Amino acid sequence: MFTPNPDFAKEIADAGGEKVQLCFQCGTCTAGCPSGRRTSYRVRKIMRMAQLGLKEEIVTSEDLWQCSTCYTCVERCPRQVPIVDIIIALRNIAVSEGHMYDNHKKTAQNLAKYGHTVPVQDKISALRKDLGLPEIPPTVLANESAKADLDKILKATGFCKIVE
């Protein structure tokens, strides 16, 4: 069992989740959550753990990464708690302490490596060519200057160190 961290509420607030204490645990968020229908994810549980200061339990939980950030919970919340902002704040805290869901890490590594979260596959390039499109889409992938700018941003923010 984890020990409550009384400073966790301030840490969440500093990371952008200052309204976590507004949640009164009605369960509307969990009842409408599409991710919760297909996984063990219960947004209400994460919110309650945050309120109780259960930092270690949250940052090491795979459940934190099950939210698809669809905002259904936010739209339905009777207290207008910005739940997705809080989930993102909790994820940022987890990542800053070295905890990241593997699939998210792979996506972030693709961004750092290619400048795009999904590398262009040979079969997609061939299909684009057959359709009369450039083989590489007009994104950072096709613009060396934009990729250089992105690399500067990623370096300045420490992004690459986080996803190594």
Side-chain angles (χ1 to χ4, degrees), residues 29 70-78 80-85:
C29 55
C70 70
Y71 285 84
T72 300
C73 55
V74 175
E75 292 168 352
R76 294 180 178 196
C77 179
Q80 299 172 344
V81 177
I83 298 164
V84 173
D85 293 349

Side-chain angles (χ1 to χ4, degrees), residues 122-136:
D122 291 340
K123 65 181 181 179
I124 299 300
S125 292
L127 180 60
R128 289 181 61 83
K129 185 176 179 181
D130 289 347
L131 293 170
L133 297 170
E135 289 183 45
I136 304 296

Side-chain angles (χ1 to χ4, degrees), residues 15-162:
E18 61 275 350
K19 296 188 178 181
V20 70
Q21 297 300 336
L22 292 178
C23 174
F24 61 32
Q25 292 291 302
C26 69
T28 302
C29 55
T30 295
C33 178
S35 292
R37 287 186 212 125
R38 292 170 181 79
T39 69
S40 64
Y41 179 63
R42 301 293 176 261
V43 66
R44 176 181 175 194
K45 179 181 173 186
I46 295 285
M47 294 295 289
R48 187 63 179 148
M49 289 190 307
Q51 290 173 328
L52 294 173
L54 299 176
K55 178 180 179 176
E56 287 305 310
E57 189 165 347
I58 292 172
V59 300
T60 60
S61 171
E62 286 195 18
D63 287 348
L64 181 59
W65 303 100
Q66 298 298 320
C67 175
S68 66
T69 65
C70 70
Y71 285 84
T72 300
C73 55
V74 175
E75 292 168 352
R76 294 180 178 196
C77 179
R79 299 284 309 259
Q80 299 172 344
V81 177
I83 298 164
V84 173
D85 293 349
I86 293 165
I87 295 297
I88 291 170
L90 292 169
R91 286 178 177 176
N92 287 340
I93 292 167
V95 168
S96 73
E97 296 190 5
H99 304 284
M100 185 183 239
Y101 195 56
D102 287 340
N103 288 337
H104 289 145
K105 193 171 200 173
K106 287 176 188 172
T107 300
Q109 288 169 338
N110 281 341
L111 179 65
K113 183 175 182 178
Y114 303 110
H116 206 269
T117 57
V118 180
V120 177
Q121 300 171 359
D122 291 340
K123 65 181 181 179
I124 299 300
S125 292
L127 180 60
R128 289 181 61 83
K129 185 176 179 181
D130 289 347
L131 293 170
L133 297 170
E135 289 183 45
I136 304 296
T139 63
V140 171
L141 293 169
N143 186 326
E144 289 181 27
S145 175
K147 176 64 167 94
D149 289 343
L150 176 63
D151 289 344
K152 287 178 193 173
I153 292 168
L154 296 179
K155 184 178 180 180
T157 60
F159 183 84
C160 294
K161 289 179 183 176
I162 292 171

